[in-house]
Amino acid sequence: MPELPQVEALRGWLDAQLATRAIARVQLTDFSALKTYKPPLSALVGLEISGVARHGKMLDIDAQGVHLIVHFSRAGWLKWKPEQPAAPARPGKGPLSFRLTLDDDSGFDLTEAGTQRRLAIWLADDPHDVEMIATLGPDPLAPEFTREAFDAILDAAGRSQLKGVLRDQRIIAGIGNAYSDEILHAAKMSPFTPASSLDEAGRQLLYDQIGTVLADAIERCQGLPPDKLKDDKRQAMRVHGRAGEQCAVCGTTIAQVSFADSSLQYCPGCQTGGKVLADRRMSKLLR
């Protein structure tokens, strides 16, 4: 799933491509992806693009006050085309969900791999009319994400586990499964540490690593075109997606905890004092 660094890099790249261009055509090929009906998608045609913004992991293309908002979910992404086909796409065929063509015939496709159709598209006059945006927690790159604000988050979280706190979009916007693994590895903390157990030094360390890990990822992928961003994310991970490999920091074999529909990776040597956490599908967690 694209997370804050990839969507932020995509935002900047798209902003340069779309600036001052007008929308010539739009086509929805996966009708389940569209979550709103007013204004209609046809309202985009003829509008000049004003800019591209990001809300957490969601992309927001502003066309003269009409906002095309995209949540890529787990398997969605954007494919840029210097020249879009003139013929309409066939609905229900392949990974294509939505196509946008600009006045110079360039444009992008929104695609989704696999059979689960979770990519979501909204059209809104105000982005905060979209519930997923209205309920977002603070953005960790925003000036208001201060240490004091982070303390308030941890206080409210109580005994909730750090992994869940970091990836809950209603608590902190933009961090998902991958970067929560990376942040906790950098902070040398177990994913199941209760938020309330962190002392002053622990709070400061976790706060610092949120900023450092995300900033480093954004710097690394800034300017990359969309087709390179996912590969960059995979290659740069230190623990996420690397179960069975050696930790680059301490050499311990990276371990995994699996759940019903997801998994997390961590380093026992760096994060849990050498203890291996049990698979949550099979037995009770070892602390």
Side-chain angles (χ1 to χ4, degrees), residues 6-17 52 59 222-224:
Q6 290 72 46
V7 180
E8 177 60 23
L10 178 63
R11 181 209 63 75
W13 191 90
L14 267 184
D15 197 43
Q17 303 298 319
V52 184
L59 194 69
Q222 202 75 41
L224 292 178

Side-chain angles (χ1 to χ4, degrees), residues 140-157:
L141 299 184
E144 57 267 27
F145 190 74
T146 62
R147 172 58 203 279
E148 291 74 19
F150 186 56
D151 280 345
I153 287 171
L154 294 178
D155 290 341

Side-chain angles (χ1 to χ4, degrees), residues 26-208:
V26 293
Q27 184 186 3
L28 183 70
T29 58
D30 176 11
F31 297 97
S32 67
L34 186 63
K35 307 304 179 184
T36 54
Y37 64 90
K38 185 179 181 180
L41 281 175
S42 58
L44 290 168
V45 176
L47 298 182
E48 185 176 290
I49 293 174
S50 311
V52 184
R54 177 186 58 80
H55 309 279
K57 294 185 282 187
M58 288 175 277
L59 194 69
D60 176 1
I61 298 171
D62 180 357
Q64 294 181 251
V66 179
H67 296 260
L68 174 66
I69 298 163
V70 181
H71 188 285
F72 295 106
S73 193
R74 180 172 294 182
W77 196 231
L78 181 146
K79 183 177 182 181
W80 179 261
K81 292 187 176 181
E83 185 174 357
Q84 289 281 37
R90 295 178 62 187
K93 297 293 181 181
L96 181 65
S97 294
F98 175 81
R99 174 167 289 167
L100 183 145
T101 305
L102 301 170
D103 54 2
D104 64 351
D105 291 329
S106 67
F108 63 80
D109 290 349
L110 298 178
T111 62
E112 186 170 20
T115 57
Q116 291 184 330
R117 314 309 290 179
R118 294 181 178 177
L119 183 142
I121 301 168
W122 296 265
L123 212 61
D125 295 323
D126 181 346
H128 289 87
D129 289 341
V130 176
E131 184 178 1
M132 286 186 70
I133 292 178
T135 57
L136 284 175
D139 192 294
L141 299 184
E144 57 267 27
F145 190 74
T146 62
R147 172 58 203 279
E148 291 74 19
F150 186 56
D151 280 345
I153 287 171
L154 294 178
D155 290 341
R159 293 196 56 79
S160 296
Q161 296 165 343
L162 291 180
K163 173 73 176 181
V165 172
L166 289 177
R167 65 177 298 194
D168 189 331
Q169 300 304 293
R170 298 164 298 178
I171 297 175
I172 301 174
I175 301 171
N177 195 30
Y179 283 99
S180 57
D181 283 352
E182 295 298 299
I183 290 165
L184 290 167
H185 176 254
K188 299 185 183 298
M189 295 179 183
S190 167
F192 300 109
T193 298
S196 60
S197 72
L198 293 185
D199 59 14
E200 171 65 22
R203 287 180 172 217
Q204 186 64 50
L205 176 60
L206 184 56
Y207 175 77
D208 290 342

